[in-house]
Amino acid sequence: MSVVTRFPPSPTGHLHLGGARTALFNFLFARHNKGKFILRFEDTDKERSREEYVESIKEALLWLGLNWDEGPYFQSKRLDLYQEFAKGLYEEGKAYYCECSKEELEAKKKAQMEKGLKPRYDGTCREKGLSPGPGRALRIKIPEDISEILFEDLLRGKIVFPPDEVDDFIIFRSDGTPTYQFAVVIDDITMGITHVIRGDDHISNTPKQLMIYKALGAKPPAFAHIPMVLGPDGARLSKRHGARSILEYREEGYLPQAVVNYLARLGWGYGDQEYFTLEELIEKFDLARVNLSPARFDPEKMLAFNAYWIKTLDTAEILKNLKPFLKNYPLERYSEEYLIAILEGVKPRVKTLKEMAEMIDFYLLEEIEPDENAREKYLTEKIKPLFVKLISDMDSLSFENEKKLEEEFRALAEESGVKLKELAQAVRVALTGKTISPPLFEVMKLLGKERVKRRLERALNFIT
RNA sequence: GCCCCCAUCGUCUAGUGGACUAGGAUACUGGCCUCUCACGCCAGAGACACGGGUUCGAAUCCCGUUGGGGGCGCCA
């Protein structure tokens, strides 16, 4: 039997790290087993579901490289199907209509909780034999003779629930829409899902779903409940830590490779290996190596992974990802080769693409505005004569050869009684406007004689 | 309250009864490299939650305690 997995987000918010990791694991498991990965939107909550979230979730998935093989399906477009299954259960006497009001149910639940009991439906309408009608919800009729409810989790082994775990819960709302519990089961059955890989917050939902499978006489899929992703403080992921949209990370200058790699390592390990490409993950991913305990999201480590992939990936690939951050520069003036040469020098110096774009601005702009503090500190009277000499000797400098250029600078510094360090910093500020930059002689080479000369001349004005 | 899941450095993890003086990554500290800042390299500090068992032997198996997480919707 070939493997079929699915990722079923509800379009009530953006895709965040937790959801992305669930999607990733489903994707990896399917691809590893040469199976199919299905995308399905669980949008039965009409109040909260929004089209814009459908789009942003799809975009985020695609950006991460998690292409689905089938779908996206929408539960909202499959109502007929759910109704058909529900009708079947009702006609077989495996479900019944209930006319209890929400208020009544709420009050009963509260009373039960106060008595220390597990809140469960008391069966008021169970034997009333009600027919379908307005304001009536359909409840599943849980057999009285069930003993314990159990299933075999792929990661955790046998999980057992006491028989009173499940009550006659609602499978179809009085407004004619299916509840989550019912829709997932029908979808998973009809889509031929073989493996349900989801957060362990769904463990306690599983008994309910198993009762639906049983009522339908269908064989449940295999379940693998993966641990949840927690915020840095150990609390559930919320807006203020990790629950930001995946797309926000893209905007902050993260590489999809880094996010995927980091996410894969949250709750999964492969010996001492830390860095994986998507292809490698597909090859090596294995449910048996998934951890059981919840993992905290550590922004610092994800940043470090991003820095690693920025300096490791092909520069052409980096450039492709960097371009959106270069909107404000006259890119058309520069060749692809030139841009790549520039990037080589900054790759090991930045942690995000955003930082990268900022660091290379002096290469792309015609004029730069040296930082005020840097100017005061390094563009001093003392180095003024050196600048003058550099400008007049410009034509004799070995721009094309970084090593030689460095020697020439050393000689100049020595004969003027200045440390190379002082000279270099002054020139760096004049050329880049910053005290931090790629190696100076690389900068000069890439900037070219003309721009170097102009910037040194301009810097002289700042000194006087 | 009831039910379920989980437990190795701060964090992510390796570890599947002897190879553990518990390994790697990240973060942190010190050093080297050096025209700046990074990268890189070297070194350091840092963990098996606790208590009982089982066993010749336990981070690894069992039980309990504690701690953390999740669920108990006409949300998903």
Side-chain angles (χ1 to χ4, degrees), chain A residues 20-255:
Chain A
R21 197 195 53 161
T22 302
L24 175 65
F25 282 17
N26 275 284
F27 170 88
L28 293 175
F29 184 75
R31 282 282 194 282
H32 178 83
N33 292 292
K34 311 249 182 295
K36 210 160 48 170
F37 172 58
I38 295 177
L39 175 61
R40 169 173 94 213
F41 284 99
E42 311 215 320
D43 57 348
T44 55
D45 184 344
K46 288 183 284 192
E47 296 299 309
R48 299 192 299 145
S49 295
R50 300 250 292 275
E51 173 65 23
E52 62 174 287
Y53 292 131
V54 168
E55 291 312 314
S56 81
I57 290 171
K58 277 158 63 179
E59 192 178 342
L61 250 17
L62 258 12
W63 179 65
L64 291 172
L66 308 184
N67 305 46
W68 52 94
D69 305 301
E70 204 178 294
Y73 291 107
F74 293 86
Q75 291 189 328
S76 59
K77 292 179 185 157
R78 296 162 56 85
L79 284 178
D80 291 351
L81 187 67
Y82 307 127
Q83 268 156 9
E84 200 180 302
F85 276 92
K87 193 167 172 243
L89 286 183
Y90 168 67
E91 283 168 356
E92 287 173 44
K94 289 175 176 167
Y96 61 90
Y97 283 94
C98 167
E99 58 182 356
C100 297
S101 72
K102 286 180 190 177
E103 293 70 33
E104 288 168 347
L105 294 171
E106 196 55 44
K108 282 177 186 168
K109 178 173 145 190
K110 208 178 150 198
Q112 285 168 327
M113 289 273 254
E114 275 165 9
K115 272 191 270 176
L117 297 170
K118 198 174 176 66
R120 56 199 322 273
Y121 181 60
D122 65 359
T124 304
C125 299
R126 187 172 162 113
E127 304 303 340
K128 282 186 184 169
L130 259 27
S131 53
R136 290 177 182 173
L138 186 65
R139 286 182 184 275
I140 188 168
K141 194 173 199 171
I142 302 298
E144 278 154 351
D145 59 352
I146 55 165
S147 49
E148 50 192 19
I149 304 169
L150 63 104
F151 71 98
E152 193 74 22
D153 187 274
L154 253 26
L155 302 182
R156 299 158 205 265
K158 199 168 300 250
I159 296 182
V160 185
F161 293 88
D164 65 349
E165 174 66 18
V166 179
D167 66 352
D168 287 356
F169 61 96
I170 292 172
I171 57 177
F172 239 85
R173 302 185 186 102
S174 51
D175 70 356
T177 59
T179 58
Y180 160 76
Q181 307 287 4
F182 192 64
V184 226
V185 171
I186 302 305
D187 282 342
D188 287 342
I189 290 173
T190 55
M191 292 177 189
I193 304 300
T194 59
H195 297 260
V196 169
I197 302 169
R198 64 201 340 183
D200 65 17
D201 50 334
H202 284 281
I203 290 181
S204 22
N205 280 327
T206 310
K208 287 185 178 172
Q209 291 164 20
L210 288 172
M211 296 320 290
I212 299 176
Y213 280 102
K214 196 175 172 195
L216 254 21
K219 181 174 171 285
F223 293 100
H225 290 97
I226 62 178
M228 308 193 59
V229 177
L230 271 26
D233 56 0
R236 189 176 197 167
L237 225 46
S238 72
K239 273 277 185 274
R240 66 171 29 75
H241 12 53
R244 288 150 70 208
S245 165
I246 288 289
L247 262 13
E248 281 181 58
Y249 289 102
R250 176 177 70 180
E251 271 142 41
E252 278 175 27
Y254 282 81
L255 249 17

